[in-house]
Amino acid sequence: MVSRRNFMSGAGAVAIGASLVSRAGAATLPEAVTMAGAATQPPLSPPNGRPYNPVVTLNGWTLPWRMKNGVKEFHLVAEPVVREIAPGMKANLWGYNGQSPGPTIEVVEGDRVRIFVTNKLPEHTSVHWHGQRLPNGMDGVTGLTQPGIRPGKTFVYEFIAKRPGTFMYHPHADEMTQMAMGMMGFWITHPKDPSQHRADRDFCFLLNAYDIDPGSYTPKTSTMLDFNLWTFNSRAFPGIDPMVCRQGDRVRIRVGNLTMTNHPIHLHGHEFVVTGTDGGWTPPASRWPEVTTDIAVGQMRAIEFDATDLGDWAFHCHKSHHTMNAMGHEVPTMIGVDQRDVLEKINKLVPDYMAMGETGGAMGEMEMPLPDNTLPMMTGSGPFGGIEMGGMFTTVKVRKGLAGNDYKDPGWYRHSAGTVAYEWQGGDASMPAATRAPDAEGVAARPGEKVLKVIKPGSHDNH
C-alpha cells in the first residue's frame, strides 16, 4: 500500500496542500486521497511513469496515483460531499474523494490504467469513461456492461489509454439523480511526446448546473432545464478563480459540458482557435479564429490563444441567465411602469417594500436581505464597482513577467493613463433626442381606461 507520505513526497508536494486528508484504504487498495478545499491547486508534476505537461484544474485538483508492476493505479471514492459553491453558500452534493466535481485524472497515451471505485453512496453507481476507447466491459453502463456497484463495494476498471485528448467521467447509473447531485470529473490523456500539443498554461474545468432553492442545501434532482446555479466546476462567480497567464504564453482551456443545455463560451480581448474536440486534436489546417465557441451537451472542447494583451479579460457563457445566480424567472417586466401610486399603497401594509424594475434590472450596490446559504442574483465587485455577474463567469488575467509556474491571483489590472473608457463632457445641448413611436402618447391607455386583455392559446391544437 502507498502511504500518504509516499504520495506527498513522490507525487509532488507542490500540488498537494494542507487541505488534503489521508484516508487509508484496505491493504490491497491504493490510498484514496481526498481534497477538503475548493481552491485551485497547482499542477501535479508526474513523479513517475512517462513525462507530460500537467494541467491546472480550475477550482480543482489532480488525483495522485501509484505505479504497480507498470500499471498506473488510482482510487476514486463515490460519496456525499459538501461543496462550497461560492463564499456564503454550500451545497450537499455527491462527488468523488471529498469534492464535486471529482479530481482530474491525468495519464499518458499508452498507459495501462487501473481505477478502483469504492461506493459510499446510499445507492448503486458505476463510472463511465466518457470518450475513451476501451473494452466493452469497462465502459461503465449499469445493466448493459456491468452490474451496479452496490453501496460499500469496490469495483476495478482497467484499460489502456489509447488516444490523447480531453475526456470526462460520470456515472451511468440513476444518471439523472447522480449527475444532478454533482457526480462527474475530468480526464486528460497526454500525448506520448510531451512536445506535441504543448501549451504554456493548460486549464480545464467542467460546466455543470444545479437547482437549489434559496436557503436550502440540496439540489432538486428532477429539474430538466430551469436551473438556478450555473457553474464552472461546481463554483459560481465570484467563487470561480481567475485563469492567470503570463503575457506571451500559449494558453489552452479545456471545457467539458455535463449540463442539460449548450453553452456559448466567450473570451474577451483575444481570438482563439478550437484545437480539440470529442474526437481528439483538430488538424491545424481545419482551425479558424473565434471569440465564442458553442459547447453542446456531452461535448468537450479545447481552445487555444496567445495571451498577447495585458488586462483582466472576461470569460463567460454568453447565455445571459447563465451569468446570474438564483433568480425568479416568472417576474413580469416593469420597465417604464410608473409604480409610485402602487408603492404608496403597498408601503402602508409593508413599510420596507421596494418597487423595482422601472428603469431596468441593474440593482447596483443595493443590498437586499437573503435567506441564509443563498447567493445574490448578481454579485462580485471589480475595481470600478459591481460586476453584476454570477454563475458561469470568471476572468483571464494576463500579466507581464510572471514565473512559468505562478498561478497566484495578481489582483486587479492597473490601467495605463488614457486607456479606460471615460465620460463625455460635451454637455446636453448637442445630445440627440430619443427616438419615440410616431403617436406614442395618442395610443397610450388613459387612467381608468379598460384595456383589452388578450388570452393566448395554451397549445397549437385546432390552429
Side-chain angles (χ1 to χ4, degrees):
M1 185 184 74
V2 176
S3 69
R4 177 171 182 265
R5 182 176 58 189
N6 294 141
F7 270 125
M8 292 293 286
S9 61
V14 170
I16 306 172
S19 55
L20 275 177
V21 179
S22 175
R23 187 190 305 166
T28 57
L29 291 174
E31 185 172 14
V33 183
T34 69
M35 177 63 71
T40 301
Q41 298 298 311
L44 174 59
S45 296
N48 49 43
R50 298 169 178 168
Y52 63 80
N53 301 306
V55 299
V56 171
T57 304
L58 198 61
N59 291 104
W61 58 300
T62 288
L63 185 64
W65 66 88
R66 75 178 181 191
M67 294 297 295
K68 188 174 183 180
N69 299 326
V71 180
K72 195 171 275 186
E73 292 188 337
F74 299 87
H75 191 176
L76 285 176
V77 177
E79 60 185 352
V81 301
V82 175
R83 175 69 164 177
E84 184 190 60
I85 301 289
M89 183 191 175
K90 295 182 178 179
N92 295 328
L93 303 180
W94 290 356
Y96 301 93
N97 299 52
Q99 290 290 318
S100 169
T104 298
I105 293 176
E106 293 184 75
V107 301
V108 179
E109 177 187 8
D111 277 353
R112 176 168 284 279
V113 180
R114 185 177 297 131
I115 309 110
F116 298 81
V117 178
T118 297
N119 183 12
K120 293 189 176 181
L121 298 173
E123 66 172 0
H124 72 269
T125 189
S126 69
V127 182
H128 166 57
W129 313 100
H130 187 115
Q132 303 277 358
R133 283 179 170 269
L134 36 60
N136 183 245
M138 296 292 167
D139 198 39
V141 181
T142 305
L144 178 65
T145 63
Q146 67 163 88
I149 308 172
R150 310 301 303 176
K153 302 296 184 183
T154 297
F155 270 41
V156 182
Y157 296 86
E158 184 168 339
F159 54 91
I160 295 173
K162 290 186 174 178
R163 63 182 179 95
T166 303
F167 307 97
M168 306 183 282
Y169 63 87
H170 61 81
H172 245 297
D174 191 14
E175 189 171 332
M176 185 165 173
T177 296
Q178 296 190 10
M179 291 180 68
M181 290 292 286
M183 298 196 68
M184 56 191 72
F186 225 99
W187 178 299
I188 305 291
T189 301
H190 296 280
K192 285 181 182 175
D193 179 358
S195 66
Q196 193 175 24
H197 310 301
R198 182 179 176 83
D200 298 301
R201 297 189 184 231
D202 196 338
F203 298 96
C204 68
F205 61 88
L206 290 170
L207 305 170
N208 42 14
Y210 300 99
D211 184 12
I212 303 177
D213 281 337
S216 63
Y217 289 79
T218 303
K220 297 178 184 175
T221 57
S222 298
T223 298
M224 295 293 290
L225 291 171
D226 200 13
F227 298 91
N228 60 19
L229 287 168
W230 300 93
T231 59
F232 292 169
N233 263 5
S234 299
R235 292 279 284 184
F237 183 76
I240 304 174
D241 287 340
M243 289 180 275
V244 179
C245 306
R246 176 176 55 184
Q247 188 180 34
D249 275 349
R250 181 69 172 181
V251 180
R252 177 182 299 134
I253 302 175
R254 309 179 196 231
V255 185
N257 182 5
L258 287 175
T259 72
M260 300 281 224
T261 187
N262 65 310
H263 296 279
I265 297 297
H266 176 50
L267 171 64
H268 292 211
H270 297 76
E271 64 278 2
F272 57 75
V273 290
V274 177
T275 56
T277 70
D278 310 56
W281 296 102
T282 57
S286 69
R287 302 170 186 172
W288 66 89
E290 292 273 17
V291 295
T292 304
T293 186
D294 198 32
I295 306 176
V297 180
Q299 287 188 329
M300 294 84 76
R301 290 286 181 270
I303 65 171
E304 290 184 25
F305 62 96
D306 294 320
T308 54
D309 289 56
L310 297 172
D312 296 338
W313 301 106
F315 181 90
H316 59 95
C317 177
H318 220 292
K319 288 185 174 178
S320 299
H321 64 290
H322 293 182
T323 53
M324 297 287 160
N325 295 323
M327 59 187 294
H329 294 168
E330 304 300 326
V331 178
T333 300
M334 301 298 286
I335 295 174
V337 178
D338 187 343
Q339 303 176 62
R340 286 171 295 185
D341 290 345
V342 177
L343 181 62
E344 184 178 342
K345 294 174 182 176
I346 295 179
N347 272 343
K348 292 178 181 177
L349 300 172
V350 185
D352 294 331
Y353 179 83
M354 294 183 294
M356 295 186 294
E358 182 176 344
T359 59
M363 291 184 287
E365 306 299 327
M366 185 184 298
E367 292 187 4
M368 301 175 63
L370 295 172
D372 290 341
N373 203 53
T374 302
L375 296 177
M377 184 175 74
M378 305 175 188
T379 187
S381 296
F384 300 100
I387 294 177
E388 298 183 337
M389 291 278 193
M392 293 175 163
F393 178 93
T394 186
T395 53
V396 173
K397 296 192 172 187
V398 182
R399 298 290 189 272
K400 283 183 179 176
L402 297 178
N405 60 352
D406 186 355
Y407 291 88
K408 295 190 302 292
D409 186 348
W412 296 116
Y413 181 64
R414 296 186 178 182
H415 301 267
S416 302
T419 63
V420 177
Y422 57 93
E423 181 181 354
W424 181 52
Q425 299 294 335
D428 295 335
S430 57
M431 188 77 73
T435 302
R436 302 189 63 194
D439 190 22
E441 293 184 1
V443 300
R446 302 292 187 273
E449 182 180 357
K450 289 186 177 179
V451 178
L452 179 63
K453 185 176 181 180
V454 178
I455 301 175
K456 296 181 181 179
S459 72
H460 295 284
D461 294 343
N462 303 319
H463 278 215

